[in-house]
Amino acid sequence: NITQTEKSFLQSSIFIGLSLGTILSVKYIDIYGRKKFVTYGSYIVLIFGISSAFSYSWTQLFIFRVNLGIGIGIQMVAGINLI
């Protein structure tokens, strides 16, 4: 069982990663190209999405979900102009 505080951390973990992914990727997307980062973001989402399904503790799930959010943030920034 997890506490209410741990539940709130898990719910906000995607948004923490989303913020980090968008902030960190903006500069590099313009330098290296958007298509590469859409692909990288997809791989990150795939790996950490599957990993979060097999996590053993809430801290492991929190780390996986933050990384999942980073991948989603990268995809949002890179993919918005490709649509």
Side-chain angles (χ1 to χ4, degrees):
N1 292 337
I2 60 175
T3 65
Q4 187 65 29
T5 306
E6 293 169 344
K7 285 181 186 178
S8 62
F9 274 116
L10 287 175
Q11 290 173 349
S12 63
S13 61
I14 290 279
F15 297 111
I16 293 169
L18 187 72
S19 300
L20 288 173
T22 54
I23 291 169
L24 297 175
S25 67
V26 170
K27 180 179 178 183
Y28 297 108
I29 286 174
D30 289 334
I31 294 171
Y32 297 111
R34 298 185 185 280
K35 289 183 183 179
K36 287 182 184 179
F37 278 88
V38 169
T39 305
Y40 297 154
S42 297
Y43 288 143
I44 291 170
V45 168
L46 177 70
I47 290 167
F48 288 108
I50 292 172
S51 298
S52 66
F54 296 106
S55 61
Y56 292 107
S57 65
W58 82 269
T59 30
Q60 194 176 29
L61 181 61
F62 178 79
I63 292 168
F64 289 154
R65 286 178 56 113
V66 168
N67 288 322
L68 180 68
I70 290 172
I72 294 170
I74 291 171
Q75 285 182 329
M76 282 179 50
V77 174
I80 197 73
N81 291 330
L82 294 177
I83 295 177

